[in-house]
Amino acid sequence: MERTPQIKVENLSKVYQMGEVQVKALDDVSFEIYEGEFVVILGPSGSGKSTLLNIMGGMDLPTSGRVLIAEEEITKYNDTKLTAYRRDKVGFVFQFYNLMANLTARENVELAAEICKDTMDIDEVMAEVDLSERKNHFPSQMSGGEQQRVAIARAVAKNPLLILCDEPTGALDFKTGILILALLRKINKKLNKTVVVITHNMAVGDMADRVIKMRSGKITEIKVNPEPIPPERIEW
Ligand SMILES: Nc1ncnc2c1ncn2[C@@H]1O[C@H](COP(=O)(O)OP(=O)(O)OP(=O)(O)O)[C@@H](O)[C@H]1O
């Protein structure tokens, strides 16, 4: 039976006007992602990864082209619908965690879930990221890896359709980075959540079901890994 893609990116372009100069951050980008896939978008700095993630996450609009999420064209949504999309359908994980310093780990997760409709049980999610013992700590009392686990819990608790991660291991040492990737993979498999990770780290591609390579705003290769390796075996 033919599978329907969960995410369809069609002929997406984004041009930034910088005075007299036009910067083509995305140049006719098209691909598909299926539900439950772990996808890595790989490319060097400036290749357009963040621009692409921002459009997929409803934080920015393309100059042309469209993005369909579960057969809904988000690129023609008005502001109100885009806000609802970002709030209910997408979990975000950033390089620098972006936690609220004056809230505990649990409160950070709870706050994000509070504004959503169909959320997960907060304590179950805290257990899932192995932070049950530390949920009453403040971010300043936690390591970088622990703070990133809180950020992942915050994304997951919303029970989103997809989880978008922008360089999630960028601020972490190698060993902690691997643990974070392993956690994202576990959540992807156990909860059947689509996870999209953008990174410049080529080695991370080996753990993905689908690797989308970019350069200068264009896709240079899309590879489906028949046998992705466990994150624990990645080396960089
Ligand atoms: N708001 C903006 N205004 C003007 N140019 C921009 C803007 N955002 C991105 N660009 C340009 O678009 C291109 C793609 O940038 P983007 O941040 O998407 O790349 P990236 O692959 O995510 O890079 P990095 O890994 O360094 O974050 C770059 O040339 C960048 O300078």
Side-chain angles (χ1 to χ4, degrees):
M1 206 174 68
E2 183 107 337
R3 285 190 302 164
T4 311
Q6 187 186 38
I7 304 173
K8 265 180 114 165
V9 170
E10 292 179 352
N11 309 105
L12 209 62
S13 292
K14 177 77 181 180
V15 181
Y16 291 108
Q17 189 74 41
M18 303 288 287
E20 301 280 287
V21 185
Q22 284 198 335
V23 180
K24 223 172 193 187
L26 292 176
D27 186 1
D28 199 19
V29 164
S30 300
F31 60 85
E32 293 172 350
I33 291 174
Y34 292 85
E35 188 179 353
E37 279 188 332
F38 194 104
V39 178
V40 170
I41 301 180
L42 264 181
S45 179
S47 56
K49 307 182 298 294
S50 301
T51 304
L52 176 58
L53 204 81
N54 288 342
I55 296 172
M56 286 168 71
M59 293 182 286
D60 199 359
L61 289 169
T63 308
S64 59
R66 32 184 232 153
V67 176
L68 289 100
I69 308 282
E71 297 182 66
E72 286 255 340
E73 190 185 336
I74 63 156
T75 37
K76 68 171 188 203
Y77 278 176
N78 60 22
D79 278 352
T80 314
K81 285 187 95 176
L82 264 185
T83 304
Y85 166 73
R86 276 197 303 271
R87 190 185 56 210
D88 297 327
K89 309 279 193 222
V90 193
F92 295 97
V93 177
F94 301 101
Q95 181 173 359
F96 295 110
Y97 335 126
N98 299 358
L99 301 177
M100 304 279 278
N102 59 338
L103 299 181
T104 64
R106 192 186 187 284
E107 287 165 351
N108 263 282
V109 177
E110 203 175 12
L111 180 71
E114 233 162 49
I115 55 168
C116 304
K117 278 187 263 171
D118 177 25
T119 57
M120 290 182 62
D121 180 83
I122 307 295
D123 293 305
E124 242 171 66
V125 179
M126 296 312 282
E128 209 59 76
V129 301
D130 202 18
L131 279 178
S132 298
E133 308 291 310
R134 315 217 62 189
K135 59 187 171 195
N136 295 322
H137 287 64
F138 290 95
S140 62
Q141 301 168 318
M142 308 181 104
S143 68
E146 286 167 342
Q147 291 184 57
Q148 194 59 304
R149 272 155 47 202
V150 178
I152 292 171
R154 180 179 57 185
V156 171
K158 295 168 70 169
N159 197 14
L161 210 66
L162 69 146
I163 299 174
L164 299 179
C165 313
D166 192 345
E167 294 281 6
T169 66
L172 302 170
D173 63 67
F174 169 76
K175 256 175 88 179
T176 312
I178 295 291
L179 291 175
I180 290 299
L181 292 172
L183 175 60
L184 286 169
R185 186 50 144 166
K186 182 186 89 171
I187 281 162
N188 157 255
K189 286 206 165 154
K190 197 167 162 185
L191 306 175
N192 195 39
K193 295 281 176 212
T194 307
V195 174
V196 180
V197 172
I198 67 169
T199 178
H200 63 274
N201 188 344
M202 301 275 283
V204 179
D206 295 341
M207 67 171 283
D209 299 311
R210 182 180 300 268
V211 184
I212 298 171
K213 289 192 186 164
M214 295 185 67
R215 180 172 291 274
S216 308
K218 290 188 166 70
I219 292 187
T220 52
E221 189 187 351
I222 296 178
K223 196 173 81 180
V224 175
N225 267 341
E227 285 182 42
I229 68 167
E232 294 79 4
R233 282 185 29 218
I234 298 177
E235 281 180 45
W236 69 76

